[in-house]
Amino acid sequence: MRITVVGANGPTGRLLTGQALAAGHQVAAVTRRPDAFPLHHDRLEVVGADVLDPEAVDAAVADRDAVLSVLGVPAGKEPISTYSRGTANLVAAMTRHRVRRLAVVSSVGVDPHRYSDGGFLFNRVLLPYVTRVVARTQYDDMRRMEALVRDSGLDWTIVRPSGLYHLPSVTDYTVVEGHADGRFTARVDLAASLLALLDDDRHFRRTVSVITTADNPTLLQWIRREALAKN
């Protein structure tokens, strides 16, 4: 297939691009920093484009079979609109060029639930603090993005991972519609789940959760490796 990967230069985007190339697809990797993109392949086109630029997005979507969006924006207290504005541009371009298949990465934080193994500290303190304070503007914009996708009329899937972390290879991850009772998702599994959607129409116009069930970090390990590493 001819795939456009949006947000390709992020950690998950690079994994997704590599997996798509390994599977034999042609990939247009969209990034604002094309010179910094580390992958090279004869079936790879690195497209320097800002998702907020409608004309650039239009060119990146034309003549493609599917769009996989792994947009990522750092959390902060300032208003965030990249998810919703960028996705609006994607939907408009896909509609113009009659590209039907769209998958976007959101987050379980958009609709937080308590976890059976979370305990008091995680469920009653950490989760509300992250979703309602630290990353509130991020999740607000993801909700706007999800609403745009649901109203798009495309063959869409919204993919919600939990806390992202690194593993070296794909595991026997789990995909369920709605909420999944798992606190962590390996980026390599998230990338694999997105790629698998291209060959599976069971999740058309559905919201799914992706969780990794093996080799999960402890909460303290995750904070040390992932949350603190972003600062």
Side-chain angles (χ1 to χ4, degrees), residues 217-225:
T218 65
L219 179 59
L220 183 57
Q221 288 172 334
W222 182 83
I223 291 173
R224 286 175 174 171
R225 296 175 188 173

Side-chain angles (χ1 to χ4, degrees), residues 14 34 43 57 64 67 82 86 140 158 165 169 173 187 196 202 204 216 221-222 224 226-229:
R14 293 179 182 183
R43 281 185 277 101
V57 170
R64 297 288 161 173
V67 175
T82 301
D140 284 347
I158 295 168
Y165 71 105
S169 58
Y173 61 87
R187 292 183 181 90
R202 290 176 300 169
F204 275 13
N216 283 169
Q221 288 172 334
W222 182 83
R224 286 175 174 171
E226 302 295 334
L228 296 181

